[in-house]
Amino acid sequence: MTSTETGPRAGRREWTGLAVLALPCLLVSMDLTVLNLAVPQLSADLRPSGTQLLWIVDIYGFMIASSLILMGSLGDRTGRRRLLMVGAAAFGAASLLAAASTSAEMLIASRALLGVAGATLMPSTLALIRNMFHDPAQRTTAIGIWTAAFSLGGVLGPLVGGVLLQYFWWGSVFLLGVPVMALVLLLSPALVPEYRSAERTRFDLVSAALTVVAVLLVIYGMKRFAETGADLLAAIAAVAGVVLGVWFVRRQLRMPHPLVDIRLFRIPAVGVSLAVNTGAFFVAFGSLLLIAQYLQLVVGLSPLAAGLWTVPSALGFVLGAMVAPMLTRLTRPGNVMALGMAVSALGFALLTQVRADSGLTIVVAAGILFFFGVAPAYIIATDLIVSGAPPERAGGASAVSEAGTEFGSALGIAVLGTIAVAVYRGSVDGPALAGLPADMVETVRRTLGGATSVAEQLPAPQDIQLTELARAAFAQALGVSAAVSALLAAAMAVVCAVVLRRTPGAPAGEPGAATSVEHAVSNRSSKQAH
């Protein structure tokens, strides 16, 4: 069946099943942002190093990104509903483990397990929608609802996290996963049909392992460099990760059934759009974590208030998403993407002006601008990635686009967070540290949360001096990270304007971004079914 054929219309059972499939997507997306506001509390409780704190936040996104394609292939072979239920059970168990964590190492391991479990849920739910909704119009609506649930999770994360942190301890942000996944396990057998591909190809465990290990080694090298400076272990890890990445690419080019079809990147619309899509989420999500800490530890807002002040940024994204399709009717897609990234660069440039006493105005205005600009880049890039690939490879393009989004988000948190840690450590110095024991000085230099905790133990006026020093250092770190983001966003704007200047948009009446994604899923499922 192709996406243009009409099949039986879905009934109440299928639409109720869609609600079940939307639940894990909502939660997986929420877990990408819900922890941001808990950073100050868990820093005071677990006392992680700056590097450990970055691992706690972004290991989840990295495990999702590196496991998505692997889990999608596994679901085709073992059954998508079966993989969904296994993933739901694992996600619930890992959520309990994360909430009960008593050390930074335990929380990092729990977040890694959550990421692997989350990677089983996303491709399973989207692929199952294809099996449940055969009518093209209904299927388009269903995929739109699925996409809305995923987007809504990212918006609700800071809000829900803020409410929970207002009344409970930091581990409470993970407990949401337990009842939701229990509901998925209870309802899925009755409402969600099973699907398993009839095609049997060899499962490439070597390629699957390479995708995970290569990414984690490179990030470990970067984090260690930020924590300790240049050393042999950091260099070995980074170089080993790059070597494994090259091996993975060469292996995919030789295999008849690769996990990732590298040849897709040779198509300009696919390669450039994927890079911009990944880069857009890199700069947006990398800055979001730092802004959440700034709102609480520098401005002094409660977790709930900080969560509420992230809503304008989310509304900026929604507005950008609404404007993008209208702009593509007036000019080429590359021009719209370039305009969006230029607006993002302007937002980040504004954020470079933030200081410890700037208050809310600069941060909120900057967030609205750069999220407004990211939205058109994301939506149009997804459309170009899918429609730019040949029809027989559109499914592979859709999978790579999804993985690129997750990887960009996690990589942005890691890289921009690493830069911020390095700037913060280098800026925390002065008379306020005089006379402090070495272990206290190290705690202050690790994180702003650690500095705040140490300041509470000091007499006046040294406590105020240390707090002001740490807050100024963090504001400087945020400004430097914003400057890097502004340069990257501006570079992406130029690339879009130049490389994609001849890329045509969809003619009137042709599918837009959301419909093109639906077509990609349909094409992939049709190939598997035959």
Side-chain angles (χ1 to χ4, degrees), residues 362-436:
I362 291 178
V363 171
V364 174
I368 293 173
L369 282 174
F370 68 69
F371 268 106
F372 175 84
V374 162
Y378 166 61
I379 292 173
I380 297 172
T382 301
D383 185 21
L384 292 178
I385 290 169
V386 175
S387 61
E392 68 275 8
R393 290 154 66 187
S398 180
V400 170
S401 174
E402 187 177 342
T405 298
E406 295 296 330
F407 183 75
S409 302
L411 187 63
I413 292 172
V415 175
L416 295 179
T418 297
I419 292 172
V421 167
V423 174
Y424 174 81
R425 286 180 65 87
S427 303
V428 178
D429 198 6
L433 299 180
L436 293 182

Side-chain angles (χ1 to χ4, degrees), residues 226-359:
E227 177 78 2
T228 64
D231 68 356
L232 183 61
L233 183 57
I236 290 174
V239 171
V242 172
V243 170
L244 291 179
V246 172
W247 180 15
F248 172 78
V249 171
R250 293 176 63 87
R251 183 178 179 85
Q252 302 313 294
L253 290 172
R254 292 196 307 266
M255 297 189 67
H257 300 286
L259 282 179
V260 178
D261 191 350
I262 303 298
R263 296 173 184 84
L264 286 174
F265 302 131
R266 296 174 181 172
I267 304 170
V270 175
V272 173
S273 297
L274 177 63
V276 172
N277 186 32
T278 303
F281 277 83
F282 175 99
V283 295
F285 274 80
S287 301
L288 201 58
L289 170 65
L290 299 175
I291 289 174
Q293 294 180 68
Y294 177 88
L295 291 175
Q296 292 180 84
L297 296 177
V298 178
V299 179
L301 298 180
S302 68
L304 177 58
L308 290 173
W309 277 109
T310 63
V311 173
S313 298
L315 295 178
F317 186 91
V318 172
L319 181 60
M322 295 172 61
V323 170
M326 294 185 287
L327 291 179
T328 55
R329 300 189 186 102
L330 304 176
T331 185
R332 291 179 182 273
N335 295 335
V336 180
M337 292 173 65
L339 177 62
M341 295 315 300
V343 173
S344 288
L346 180 63
F348 287 116
L350 177 61
L351 191 59
T352 62
Q353 303 305 305
V354 73
R355 301 292 182 268
D357 57 353
S358 297

Side-chain angles (χ1 to χ4, degrees), residues 165-188:
L165 292 169
Q166 188 76 11
Y167 302 102
F168 305 103
W169 91 114
W170 60 264
S172 63
V173 300
F174 296 109
L175 295 182
L176 284 172
V178 179
V180 171
M181 293 306 166
L183 193 62
V184 172
L185 289 171
L186 180 66
L187 298 178
S188 292

